Amino acid sequence: MFRHAFQRDSSFNHTPSSLREFIRYQGPISVEKAQELALYHHEYGYYLNASTIGNGGDFITAPEVSQLFGDMLGLWCIAQWQQAGSPLSIHIIELGPGNGTLMQDILSITNQKKDFIDSLTVSLVEICPALTIKQKTALQRYDYVYWYKHLEEVPKGADFTIIIANEFFDCLPIKQFVGEEERYITYNEQYHDLIFSPAGNPKTIKETCPIATGLSREITRHLSPGVGLIIDYGDSTTPETRLGDTLQAVYKHQPVDVLQSLGFADLSHQVDFFHLQSLFESSRFQTQGDFLLTLGVEHRMAKLMKVANPEQQFQLTTGASRLVAPSEMGQKFKVLEIFNL
Ligand code: SAH
């Protein structure tokens, strides 16, 4: 008797098996909150899964496409530091380092510049425990790399700070609005499915990213003095001409339905560079293609080609083309350089 009563009671506070069930029990939650849970919740969060990035994962990023990307960013770091008069201590902070590939490439090229590397400390800001383990393995030979979960925890005080964020801002949760009304996700008992409420016309939906605004302030605080590099897909169109609903879900390199895949697929949005740029006093905005070409990616490639075998030469040329060509990542991805000197 007693045992049965106990079993019935316990069903009231069990943890729902999925985010869909969670919303069903909990009631409507904002798009922003849903995104936060879908990405970071200790049980439902997508970023608890380590195999998200790369050819075998759900999406591929520039450093995974080619070593040339990290090489050029490493050369950019050295050039910025030299332009600032080669200050004595350097601190590179990377936000959301994924598999650790970008930092591996940056360190392997900056390693050739002794006075730079001798003055260097690296901090990686990563929320996902499984990816932190991957990064620690990738970077184990460097004893000046440290990990943090939040940028606010990273110590300040270097003579020169460099902050790098590649495909980081696109995964921060956004708010969506239909007119003045905030958009929610709710469970519809009739359809036994999640729906957006209000549904809204995707073309006229407005988006804001409050976390990006707070983070930008924190970046400015760290860059005193220093430079930053935010690379992501998105646009710099004015609020009036912005795209509407840009929330997208990707699973195994394929776009999938946001609501059906909540918690299982990567969720991201197109970064609003118009707003982001307005948050920094001094910055330069351009496409990834222009940025890499101006930095001399062609010269770097020509140099590497001379010592590469045919297979490596093929990798280099296809990689460079994917990074730079307007039809591939060159136009879609944008670069915001931030200067706080
Ligand atoms: N920069 C990497 C990975 C991009 S994917 C690359 O270019 O390959 C996004 C990365 O940001 C992942 O490492 C993810 O775990 C991390 N991340 C996402 N949200 C985060 C947050 N709020 N705080 C810290 N890291 C976060």
Side-chain angles (χ1 to χ4, degrees), residues 39-40 46-49 52-54 59-65 69 94-102 124-129 131-132 135 148-151 164-173 211 215 231-232 266:
L39 293 175
Y40 308 124
Y46 172 77
Y47 277 120
L48 291 191
N49 183 349
T52 50
I53 308 163
F59 60 96
I60 189 146
T61 56
E64 306 292 333
V65 164
F69 187 75
E94 187 186 355
L95 307 178
N99 293 337
T101 312
L102 176 58
L124 301 183
V125 178
E126 175 59 65
I127 198 96
C128 166
L131 284 177
T132 303
Q135 294 153 15
Y148 302 90
K149 284 212 165 78
H150 305 281
L151 180 58
I164 296 175
N166 186 58
E167 288 213 45
F168 176 76
F169 276 77
D170 66 354
C171 61
L172 300 176
I211 296 183
L215 195 63
I231 306 179
D232 232 305
D266 179 52

Side-chain angles (χ1 to χ4, degrees), residues 23-246:
I23 298 173
R24 187 178 178 192
Y25 288 118
Q26 180 87 14
I29 56 174
S30 68
V31 167
E32 184 187 34
K33 187 74 194 165
Q35 209 176 332
E36 192 186 307
L37 297 176
L39 293 175
Y40 308 124
H41 188 271
H42 65 277
E43 206 154 330
Y44 316 120
Y46 172 77
Y47 277 120
L48 291 191
N49 183 349
S51 58
T52 50
I53 308 163
N55 279 324
D58 290 326
F59 60 96
I60 189 146
T61 56
E64 306 292 333
V65 164
S66 171
Q67 166 210 344
L68 280 168
F69 187 75
D71 281 1
M72 299 321 292
L73 264 56
L75 294 173
W76 179 87
C77 290
I78 294 173
Q80 295 298 326
W81 170 70
Q82 284 174 332
Q83 269 170 35
S86 307
L88 278 184
S89 59
I90 314 163
H91 189 184
I92 301 185
I93 305 173
E94 187 186 355
L95 307 178
N99 293 337
T101 312
L102 176 58
M103 192 48 72
Q104 234 179 348
D105 292 340
I106 289 178
L107 293 183
S108 97
I109 197 153
T110 50
N111 230 350
Q112 298 164 22
K113 182 110 189 83
K114 197 170 175 324
D115 46 349
F116 183 91
I117 215 78
D118 282 350
S119 326
L120 182 63
T121 302
V122 174
S123 296
L124 301 183
V125 178
E126 175 59 65
I127 198 96
C128 166
L131 284 177
T132 303
I133 292 170
K134 272 197 174 182
Q135 294 153 15
K136 286 190 171 164
T137 308
L139 298 163
Q140 59 190 346
R141 72 188 182 98
Y142 301 104
D143 60 4
Y144 48 83
V145 183
Y146 303 90
W147 276 263
Y148 302 90
K149 284 212 165 78
H150 305 281
L151 180 58
E152 305 87 79
E153 297 161 7
V154 178
K156 282 177 81 238
D159 295 329
F160 191 66
T161 301
I162 302 172
I163 297 189
I164 296 175
N166 186 58
E167 288 213 45
F168 176 76
F169 276 77
D170 66 354
C171 61
L172 300 176
I174 49 168
K175 282 182 188 290
Q176 290 193 322
F177 295 92
V178 177
E180 295 292 300
E181 203 179 336
E182 187 166 358
R183 212 172 180 219
Y184 275 66
I185 293 175
T186 181
Y187 187 84
N188 184 302
E189 291 292 343
Q190 196 186 342
Y191 303 134
H192 302 293
D193 225 339
L194 296 176
I195 56 165
F196 284 110
S197 168
N201 173 352
K203 286 195 180 124
T204 57
I205 283 167
K206 298 280 176 218
E207 296 177 339
T208 62
C209 186
I211 296 183
T213 308
L215 195 63
S216 304
R217 274 191 217 112
E218 194 55 29
I219 288 177
T220 303
R221 209 174 64 81
H222 274 273
L223 299 183
S224 50
V227 292
L229 202 54
I230 298 176
I231 306 179
D232 232 305
Y233 64 101
D235 260 305
S236 181
T237 44
T238 58
E240 298 73 39
T241 51
R242 235 179 109 65
L243 288 170
D245 177 10
T246 73

